[in-house]
Every structure is written in C-alpha cells, then in structure tokens.
C-alpha cells in the first residue's frame, strides 16, 4: 500500500471519528431536544424544562419508603373473627412517610396561620378557625378526672411533642393541604419566584398561596399582587430583548413538591411492617407480627433487654406497667420518638395513638379488582372554569360551609383555592378505567356491583325496594331559616350496619388499646367527622420518578 492511500485512509478515519464525536455530543446534550434538535431552555424563549433534575428532594418531616410487594392482612391471632383483614398480596409504589405522628406543636402552627389569615373576630371567618380546632373534650370521662388533659394537652408546651388527638379525618385532610401549600410556598421563595417573607408579612384572606392555584393560574396567587409574584430574583432574568423570563415556576421546574396527604391503608401497613431490612420469607408472606422483629413487645437486645417497644395498654387497669424499669414510660400518649424506629426509620407505628388513613372502610379489600397501590375513596373532581376560560378562584365572598353530622360547621373551600366541581359524562366519555366522579362504593354491593347480596333488601327515600349492602342510619343536620341547627336522628328499625361512604379506616393500636391492636394488619373504622382521644395521624407523600433513591446513578 503506497503512502498516498495510507494518508487517505487516515483522513477518512479521522473524519469518521469526528462525525461520531459530533453525533455523540448532539445525542448526549441534555439541553438539546432528541425530538426536534431544538435547544431546550433557550433564553430567546421556547420550551423550558429542568434538565438537571436528579431525584425528588425529601420534604420536611418525611422519610423515604421504597415500595415493593407484601402480604397485606392478618394470618394469625384472630380471636375477634372480624373477617375484615383476609390476607392478600399487594404491590406498593415508593412513597414518603412522616417519621412521627403530627404533634400538638405542628398542629398549633397550623391554627396560628388560620387565625392570622382568617381572623375569627371577623364574622365572615369565625367558622373557619372553629372548624379547624381539635375537640379537646374527647378527654372527658363520666367516671374519671381528666380536666387537666382537656385544658392543657393541646396547648401546654409540656405536651408540645406529643401526638395531636381530637382531630377528625376531615381536619387531618385539611391540615395536609395546608402543609402542602406552606412547604411549596417556602420552596418557591427560596428559588426566587416569590418575594422574600411574603408568606408572613403580606398574607391575608384574599392574598395567600395555594399550590394548585399557582400551577393553574399563577397570576391569581396572592390575590394577583405583582409585587409578591414578581419580587423574587427570577424577575431579574431577561431574554435578549429585555423581556422577563421564568417569572413563574411550572411543574417542569421540579421545584414544586407533590402534595402532603394521608397515607392509604396499604401504604400505612407496608410502612408499619418495616420490610426494608428484614426480607425473609415469613415477613414477605405476612407473618411479621409487629413493626419490629420478633413476637414480643419487649426488647430482646442486650443493651435494652426488657424495655417496652411501644406505648399500649398492658392490661385491665394497667396503662403503662409498674412504675420504674418495667413501665413503658407513659400512661396516656407519650412524646413522639420515645421508642425505637422500625427499619424504615419511622417511629410509633405501633402504640401511642392509632392513626387515620385515607381509605373509606369496607370489610373486604377488593384485590380481585386491583392489587397495585390499592385505595378505596376516589372522588374525581375538576377545576371550575369561568366564562372567559380562566379557573374559578374562590374569594372571601364565595366561601361555602358544610354542616357535619356532629353539628360542626366547616368550610368546603377557602379563599385563594380553585373551586372544584364533580366530573361529568363529557369527562368520562369512552373511558374504560373510570366512569363516575364518586367511586367510594365501587364493587361493594350496589346495583352495578359484581358482588350482590340478594337477602338484604331495603327501601330508599322514595319507598322503592333496592338492593343495598350497607344499610346504615341516615342522620341529618340542617340549618333553619334563623340559622339554628336542626338535628334529625334516623330511628328506623331496618338499619343493619354503621358502614357507609363517610366512615374511614384507622390503623394501629393506641395508648388505650391492648397489644392485640398494635399488629399493623388490624383495621377498624370511625366516622370521618368525629374525633377521639386515641386517634391521631401522620402525613405521606407520593414518590415521583425512580422507585429507588439514587437510582439515577449507574448500577453495577
């Protein structure tokens, strides 16, 4: 081969290598579209997207729970024969869970915000603050002295780190919504999208922050106050023509966190079992009795041998044990994190207080229909739209109040939020996965259900005979023309159940329960608008993106 051919070969090889490198560079650029080749995040405008996003940041108070499969329900020690926790295999997506129950101090922060933004001395807002207050009278007992807890448990600093009680399921959901908004408000301020400290200095009833409003109509947030919305450092960024860019953050920014919410029942039980480290056959197949390893309630470790691992009722007239070494350290509730966490790093998933979860109660977990992220309670809504096509943002004049079965009056919506309306036939047209707004009683014995109970006939309000599985009392609370509360009690002798679409599951045992109830598989129910001295709650958050933390890194 002569020198000329060798040179040509070398030139051709260099050219091919150069082209390959260019191609590689083009395909690997995170700021260049693989669909069009256009530049992403161009200062001249176009598609804006967070191409540097790695993974979801753990929001305040939460710990990561990697999802997986497990056996939900109970397989041993069932003397009650409840027939409501038949074992079934479920798969749970990864999520985040509060490391402890929501405390009195955390809830008081919520009440303080409500009081500042919706002053109860304003007649238009009085019922908002009252609707958020826990029922401190849950501590009263006809034959027991408990006024000290009634007067002090919620507000005294001595109980600041104790779990809040006297909170209904509805109040717990409202707290979670408030928490979502406050955390995202802080994130946006830190990222420069909101004026610094506006969340404290500039907030009022018609000028506050709501996450959904910011996403759907950012200019309506804070009542449209441009000084707050454009007062961050992002306002200083401009394109080549001097026009401001990135004034508002979108979902694509990666800054806005998913919502805080109550955990679903399947999430709560999975998190309580703590299957992070103990991946043996018995734990996966549902034979793990408590959130810790072993079948006993006392520690078997040499350093802490004999110590109680949870706060529960030891026996009749025994709420803590003999004072001293044998005691569990509490007679009522105890300070959160007083006992060892489980393998996920979550505290008090057994004992202290039982906890609300999101689900509507039914004796049967319908794993025949769904075994992935199971949840009963979906009510689908959509944003109300004005005639001009914008979303309907609630104002102080638009507040609608609901009267609960207890007679308590609570706001259905708050100023600054987007009005929600049920989905309709247009939204469900040709949909195969859902066809109604309210799915709480799906497949549980109604006319369209696959599970019929032919021996249970009842009459509806029109006297028509219907086939109904859960025939619960229908009490009514209304307001007369003077605004007085009128209570009508259903005294029918034909009612056969207390189960309806307004009872919710609560999980775990409490300071008032025997050890039988601290098994994570146990499930009970309670009306969603009532409260007790032994039910509290904690929040959860969905995981976006990868199933495992750090999975963006290459695995070997």
């Amino acid at each position: 081969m002569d020198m000329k051919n060798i040179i040509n070969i070398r030139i051709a090889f260099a050219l091919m290598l150069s082209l390959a490198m260019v191609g590689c560079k083009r395909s690997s650029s995170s700021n260049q579209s693989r669909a069009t080749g256009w530049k992403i995040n161009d200062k001249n405008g176009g598609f804006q997207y967070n191409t540097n996003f790695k993974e979801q940041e753990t929001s305040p108070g939460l710990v990561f729970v990697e999802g997986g499969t497990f056996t939900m329900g109970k397989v041993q020690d069932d003397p009650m024969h409840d027939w409501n926790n038949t074992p079934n295999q479920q798969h749970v997506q990864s999520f985040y869970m509060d490391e402890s129950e929501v405390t009195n101090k955390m809830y008081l922060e919520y009440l303080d915000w409500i009081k500042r933004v919706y002053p109860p001395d304003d007649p238009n807002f009085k019922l908002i603050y009252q609707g958020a207050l826990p029922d401190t009278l849950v501590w009263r007992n006809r034959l027991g002295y408990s006024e000290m807890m009634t007067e002090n448990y919620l507000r005294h600093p001595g109980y600041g780190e104790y779990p809040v009680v006297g909170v209904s399921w509805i109040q717990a959901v409202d707290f979670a919504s408030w928490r979502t908004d406050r955390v995202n408000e802080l994130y946006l301020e830190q990222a420069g999208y909101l004026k610094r400290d506006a969340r404290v200095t500039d907030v009022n009833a018609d000028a506050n922050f709501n996450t959904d409003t910011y996403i759907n109509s950012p200019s309506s947030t804070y009542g449209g106050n441009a000084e707050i919305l454009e007062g961050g450092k992002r306002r200083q960024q401009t394109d080549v023509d001097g026009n401001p860019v990135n004034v508002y953050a979108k979902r694509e920014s990666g800054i806005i966190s998913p919502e805080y919410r109550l955990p679903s029942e399947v999430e709560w039980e999975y998190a309580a079992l703590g299957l992070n480290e103990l991946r043996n056959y018995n734990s996966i197949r549902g034979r793990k009795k408590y959130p810790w390893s072993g079948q006993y309630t006392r520690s078997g470790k040499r350093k802490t041998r004999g110590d109680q691992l949870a706060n529960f009722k030891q026996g009749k007239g025994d709420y803590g044990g003999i004072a001293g070494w044998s005691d569990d350290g509490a007679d009522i509730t105890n300070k959160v994190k007083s006992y060892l966490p489980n393998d996920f790093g979550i505290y008090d998933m057994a004992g202290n207080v039982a906890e609300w979860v999101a689900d509507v109660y039914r004796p049967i977990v319908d794993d025949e229909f769904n075994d992935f992220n199971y949840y009963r309670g979906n009510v689908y809504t959509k944003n109300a739209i004005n005639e001009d096509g914008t979303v309907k943002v609630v104002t102080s004049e638009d507040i609608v109040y609901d009267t609960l079965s207890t007679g308590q009056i609570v706001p259905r919506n708050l100023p600054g939020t987007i009005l929600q309306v049920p989905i309709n036939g247009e939204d469900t047209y040709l949909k195969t996965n859902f066809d109604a707004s309210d799915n709480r009683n799906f497949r549980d014995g109604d006319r369209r259900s696959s599970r019929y109970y032919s021996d249970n006939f009842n009459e509806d309000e029109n006297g028509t005979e219907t086939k109904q599985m859960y025939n619960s009392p229908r009490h009514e609370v209304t307001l007369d023309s003077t605004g007085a509360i009128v209570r009508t009690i259903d005294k029918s002798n034909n009612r056969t159940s207390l189960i309806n679409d307004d009872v919710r599951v609560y999980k775990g045992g409490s300071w008032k329960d025997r050890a039988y109830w601290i098994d994570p598989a146990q499930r009970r129910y309670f009306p969603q608008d009532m409260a007790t001295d032994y039910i509290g709650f904690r929040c959860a958050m969905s995981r976006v993106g990868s199933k495992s933390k750090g999975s963006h890194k290459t695995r070997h």
Side-chain angles (χ1 to χ4, degrees):
M1 183 179 294
D2 58 22
M3 184 61 66
K4 183 177 181 180
N5 288 335
I6 293 175
I7 292 174
N8 288 338
I9 291 172
R10 287 179 176 177
I11 292 174
F13 179 76
L15 181 60
M16 290 172 61
L17 181 62
S18 176
L19 289 172
M21 293 177 65
V22 169
C24 180
K25 183 178 181 181
R26 284 177 178 172
S27 62
S28 64
S29 174
S30 62
N31 282 320
Q32 190 165 7
S33 170
R34 290 163 54 195
T36 63
W38 291 8
K39 189 174 182 181
I40 299 174
N41 300 320
D42 194 335
K43 291 184 178 181
N44 293 320
F47 182 43
Q48 301 292 312
Y49 193 82
N50 183 357
T51 55
N52 295 318
F53 185 82
K54 299 300 182 184
E55 67 178 12
Q56 182 176 349
E57 179 181 350
T58 303
S59 295
L62 303 177
V63 295
F64 176 68
V65 178
E66 183 173 342
T69 185
F70 81 113
T71 300
M72 180 183 182
K74 195 169 181 63
V75 294
Q76 58 182 345
D77 296 345
D78 192 18
M80 303 292 287
H81 300 290
D82 285 334
W83 188 62
N84 71 348
N85 54 3
T86 304
N88 64 94
Q89 187 156 307
Q90 294 284 336
H91 190 95
V92 186
Q93 276 189 296
S94 297
F95 62 100
Y96 296 84
M97 180 81 93
D98 265 337
E99 65 175 342
S100 74
E101 298 116 341
V102 170
T103 64
N104 287 317
K105 185 165 67 174
M106 293 166 68
Y107 202 88
L108 286 174
E109 185 180 5
Y110 166 55
L111 292 178
D112 177 73
W113 187 90
I114 292 285
K115 196 170 187 177
R116 285 189 291 108
V117 178
Y118 308 106
D121 54 0
D122 185 329
N124 197 34
F125 302 137
K126 180 180 180 181
L127 295 175
I128 295 178
Y129 183 70
Q130 289 182 353
L133 286 171
D135 182 4
T136 58
L137 300 184
V138 294
W139 288 105
R140 283 185 172 168
N141 187 308
R142 295 181 186 87
L143 292 178
Y145 179 73
S146 53
E147 290 307 289
M148 185 277 292
M149 276 90 78
T150 298
E151 296 168 358
N152 292 284
Y153 184 81
L154 174 64
R155 298 185 183 275
H156 196 285
Y159 290 117
E161 292 299 326
Y162 284 56
V164 66
V165 296
V167 175
S168 70
W169 181 92
I170 292 175
Q171 290 174 316
V173 169
D174 289 343
F175 173 89
S177 296
W178 167 84
R179 188 177 177 186
T180 300
D181 293 339
R182 303 292 72 77
V183 168
N184 280 325
E185 190 176 27
L186 179 62
Y187 285 169
L188 289 168
E189 179 188 306
Q190 291 174 338
Y193 286 98
L194 296 175
K195 174 186 172 184
R196 187 173 182 82
D197 294 329
R199 56 194 162 83
V200 177
T201 59
D202 296 281
V203 65
N204 60 62
D206 284 312
N208 59 71
F209 178 87
N210 174 260
T211 301
D212 287 338
T213 302
Y214 185 85
I215 291 171
N216 291 278
S217 180
S219 61
S220 300
T221 312
Y222 277 107
N225 190 332
E227 180 186 354
I228 297 174
L229 298 172
E230 301 171 2
K233 61 186 179 183
R234 290 281 178 177
R235 182 64 174 173
Q236 301 169 9
Q237 295 188 10
T238 58
D239 61 20
V240 293
D241 297 321
N243 300 313
V245 296
N246 296 335
V247 175
Y248 305 120
K250 300 179 181 179
R251 285 280 191 200
E252 293 88 341
S253 69
I255 297 171
I256 299 174
S257 169
E259 66 176 3
Y260 283 87
R261 54 177 174 78
L262 290 182
S264 66
E265 180 180 6
V266 69
E267 286 175 335
W268 193 98
E269 188 169 328
Y270 179 83
L273 285 171
L275 303 178
N276 187 39
E277 300 294 338
L278 192 63
R279 293 285 185 177
N280 61 41
Y281 174 82
N282 284 336
S283 65
I284 295 176
R285 296 298 298 171
R287 300 184 185 277
K288 191 168 188 286
K289 186 177 178 66
Y290 297 120
W292 50 83
S293 303
Q295 300 293 307
Y296 305 101
T297 63
R298 292 185 183 273
S299 173
K301 296 181 179 180
R302 183 174 182 179
K303 188 175 182 180
T304 57
R305 181 165 297 172
D307 288 355
Q308 286 287 7
L309 297 171
N311 173 22
F312 61 94
K313 184 178 179 179
Q314 310 291 315
K316 184 173 178 59
D318 183 358
Y319 286 82
I322 300 173
W325 170 81
S326 181
D327 196 1
D328 67 14
D331 39 27
I332 54 168
T333 57
N334 202 353
K335 184 182 294 187
V336 299
K337 301 184 181 182
S338 294
Y339 307 92
L340 295 175
N342 68 8
D343 288 335
F344 283 126
I346 304 175
Y347 294 83
D348 298 321
M349 294 299 277
N352 218 16
V353 290
E355 298 177 20
W356 289 114
V357 296
D359 295 60
V360 169
Y361 176 82
R362 291 294 186 270
I364 298 173
V365 173
D366 192 356
D367 60 313
E368 292 179 14
F369 186 80
N370 183 37
D371 57 4
F372 179 77
N373 265 19
Y374 185 87
Y375 166 64
R376 178 179 289 281
N378 283 312
V379 178
Y380 300 123
T381 61
K382 61 181 180 180
N383 297 334
I385 305 298
N386 295 315
E387 292 182 359
D388 62 358
T390 59
V391 293
K392 170 66 175 176
V393 179
V394 177
T395 66
S396 297
E397 289 73 31
D398 300 326
I399 304 175
V400 176
Y401 292 94
D402 290 326
T403 304
L404 306 179
S405 66
T406 58
Q408 186 180 24
I409 301 175
V410 297
R412 184 184 305 172
N413 43 39
L414 291 175
T417 61
I418 300 176
L419 180 65
Q420 296 296 300
V421 296
I423 62 171
N424 54 35
E426 295 180 1
D427 305 303
T428 62
Y429 180 65
L430 292 182
K431 292 285 193 290
T432 59
N433 53 330
F434 70 100
D435 59 3
S437 173
D438 190 345
N439 296 273
R440 290 176 295 176
N441 61 4
F442 180 65
R443 283 171 58 93
D444 70 351
D446 60 3
R447 283 185 177 275
R448 302 173 60 195
S449 174
S450 63
R451 291 174 174 171
Y452 289 97
Y453 290 77
S454 57
D455 58 343
N456 187 8
F457 289 94
N458 305 287
E459 291 184 354
D460 63 17
E461 54 272 14
N462 299 319
T464 305
E465 195 175 67
T466 60
K467 187 180 294 185
Q468 184 178 350
M469 182 174 178
Y470 301 108
N471 181 26
S472 60
R474 300 173 184 174
H475 308 304
E476 292 185 3
V477 180
T478 57
L479 299 178
D480 63 17
S481 58
T482 65
I485 296 176
V486 179
R487 295 178 174 88
T488 304
I489 299 176
D490 185 348
K491 297 182 180 180
S492 171
N493 293 324
N494 296 325
R495 303 307 182 193
T496 59
S497 174
L498 294 175
I499 300 172
N500 55 43
D501 291 344
D502 295 324
V503 295
R504 301 284 173 168
V505 179
Y506 69 94
K507 298 282 284 183
S510 74
W511 64 274
K512 217 171 186 178
D513 292 311
R514 299 291 293 269
Y516 171 75
W517 294 106
I518 65 177
D519 186 325
Q522 295 292 0
R523 55 199 305 262
R524 292 174 280 179
Y525 64 93
F526 204 70
Q528 65 183 23
D529 55 2
M530 296 176 65
T532 75
D533 60 352
Y534 59 86
I535 300 180
F537 70 101
R538 71 179 75 215
C539 295
M541 179 182 290
S542 298
R543 165 82 171 176
V544 297
S546 60
K547 179 180 183 288
S548 305
K549 292 198 73 172
S551 61
H552 62 281
K553 299 176 183 178
T554 302
R555 291 189 172 188
H556 299 284

